[in-house]
Amino acid sequence: LQLTLNSDIHGRKATDVKREHEVEKKLARLGKQLGGLDRIESLKGKEMSGVVKATSNTGDWLYVEPTGSNELPVGVATIPSDSDIDLSKGDSCMIRLEGIDSSRGQLSFTVIST
């Protein structure tokens, strides 16, 4: 049981507050790994190769690790709805860095080809 006198939390669900806190922690960790989140802005739109680390059971997204000299961590990749790309764990693909997924606190990519 947690008790707070913080008026910013009033009327909000505890699960939402916890999720926001987790995202803030992930963003801080991501910024530390990259030497600052502003580095992502300079790489935004860059295309690179990647390897699928895991697929989603609940959505149309994948966890993809960029390969090469970028030293970027695993991020969330989406496949365009008009695409017939089918990927599994361990598959290689080409991805484009879109920025940061603020709802997850992770890098956001788009799969552009296999």
Side-chain angles (χ1 to χ4, degrees), residues 46-106:
K46 183 172 180 168
E47 296 179 359
M48 60 197 85
S49 58
V51 176
V52 177
K53 291 297 181 180
T55 59
S56 168
N57 293 329
T58 59
D60 59 347
W61 48 273
L62 317 157
Y63 284 110
V64 177
E65 180 176 25
T67 56
S69 62
N70 294 314
E71 300 177 12
L72 296 174
V74 172
V76 177
T78 57
I79 299 173
S81 58
D82 60 344
S83 172
D84 61 349
I85 296 173
D86 185 31
L87 295 169
S88 300
K89 182 179 177 179
D91 289 347
S92 294
C93 59
M94 289 298 295
I95 53 177
R96 179 176 46 249
L97 180 61
E98 302 295 343
I100 297 175
D101 183 336
S102 58
S103 66
R104 290 188 173 104
Q106 295 178 302

Side-chain angles (χ1 to χ4, degrees), residues 19-20 23-24 27 99-108:
R19 186 178 313 118
E20 289 170 10
V23 168
E24 288 173 11
L27 286 173
I100 297 175
D101 183 336
S102 58
S103 66
R104 290 188 173 104
Q106 295 178 302
L107 294 179
S108 174

Side-chain angles (χ1 to χ4, degrees), residues 15-27:
T15 54
D16 293 338
V17 172
K18 183 177 180 180
R19 186 178 313 118
E20 289 170 10
H21 178 69
E22 291 297 319
V23 168
E24 288 173 11
K25 281 176 40 178
K26 286 182 179 182
L27 286 173

Side-chain angles (χ1 to χ4, degrees), residues 10-45:
H10 181 70
R12 295 171 51 204
K13 294 181 182 178
T15 54
D16 293 338
V17 172
K18 183 177 180 180
R19 186 178 313 118
E20 289 170 10
H21 178 69
E22 291 297 319
V23 168
E24 288 173 11
K25 281 176 40 178
K26 286 182 179 182
L27 286 173
R29 190 175 326 126
L30 183 61
K32 190 174 180 181
Q33 284 178 324
L34 299 173
L37 295 177
D38 54 334
R39 180 172 174 222
I40 297 302
E41 287 302 314
S42 66
L43 294 173
K44 200 171 182 177

